[in-house]
Amino acid sequence: MSYVIHSRSKAEIDSMIEKIEAWHRKNTRTSKQRLGFLKRAGILDRNGQLAKCYGGKGE
């Protein structure tokens, strides 16, 4: 397996961080949005419980 490492300037990194933070602010405003994100990420199961792979008793 090989990896490609891209060199980025501080300005590019800062821009990427700002875009991620803006997405986060926009998409996690409400409890419903936050729960939806955690479910899509697989952190919570479909019942809203902590997923088994994260130490929960869920599915």
Side-chain angles (χ1 to χ4, degrees), residues 10-25:
K10 181 173 179 351
E12 289 174 310
I13 293 169
D14 290 345
S15 174
M16 292 168 60
I17 290 170
E18 179 53 39
K19 288 176 185 177
I20 291 168
E21 288 173 344
W23 180 92
H24 183 266
R25 284 190 301 273

Side-chain angles (χ1 to χ4, degrees), residues 3 7-8 13 16 21 24 29 31 34 41-42 47 51 54:
Y3 296 94
S7 178
R8 290 188 168 80
I13 293 169
M16 292 168 60
E21 288 173 344
H24 183 266
R29 289 182 183 153
S31 293
R34 288 187 290 271
N47 298 318
Y54 289 99

Side-chain angles (χ1 to χ4, degrees), residues 4 11 19-20 24 28 35 37:
V4 176
K19 288 176 185 177
I20 291 168
H24 183 266
T28 60
L35 285 173
F37 171 78

